[in-house]
Amino acid sequence: MRKLYIKDQEVIVTCSRNVDWTGFQRACASISDLENECLLIKKSSLVLISQKENEYFVIERMNTDTFTLHIHYNILNQQVYKV
């Protein structure tokens, strides 16, 4: 778990066992880079965040009183297909 502060808003980031520590670090860096866009995520929604087109993170905003983002998966670019 990590707490980030974006525009004076506390954002709690959690992670599933499907994502290793380095993937979690990269996901947190990507979330920090989004800044304003991150705060627009509505409760109970899933988003796909891309980091330099090399990998993607599946992130859910949890339906809680706090602004909590949960990282479900770290998907490499080779495993993503455009339809």
Side-chain angles (χ1 to χ4, degrees):
M1 182 182 96
R2 175 177 288 173
K3 289 183 182 180
L4 304 173
Y5 291 92
I6 300 173
K7 301 285 184 182
D8 295 329
Q9 171 74 42
E10 182 181 72
V11 178
I12 298 171
V13 183
T14 61
C15 183
S16 73
R17 286 185 250 164
N18 297 325
V19 180
D20 62 2
W21 177 250
T22 56
F24 179 71
Q25 296 286 79
R26 289 191 303 272
C28 287
S30 295
I31 291 168
S32 294
D33 291 343
L34 289 176
E35 289 192 2
N36 291 338
E37 291 85 1
C38 176
L39 298 177
L40 298 176
I41 301 171
K42 295 181 181 178
K43 288 183 178 181
S44 300
S45 60
L46 289 171
V47 294
L48 189 66
I49 296 179
S50 172
Q51 183 188 39
K52 299 180 184 176
E53 302 279 335
N54 293 331
E55 62 185 337
Y56 295 85
F57 299 101
V58 179
I59 298 175
E60 174 187 12
R61 175 159 179 208
M62 306 301 282
N63 191 10
T64 61
D65 293 338
T66 61
F67 197 103
T68 304
L69 299 176
H70 183 74
I71 304 166
H72 285 283
Y73 296 102
N74 178 12
I75 305 170
L76 297 178
N77 192 25
Q78 297 84 2
Q79 299 169 328
V80 175
Y81 299 98
K82 292 182 181 181
V83 179

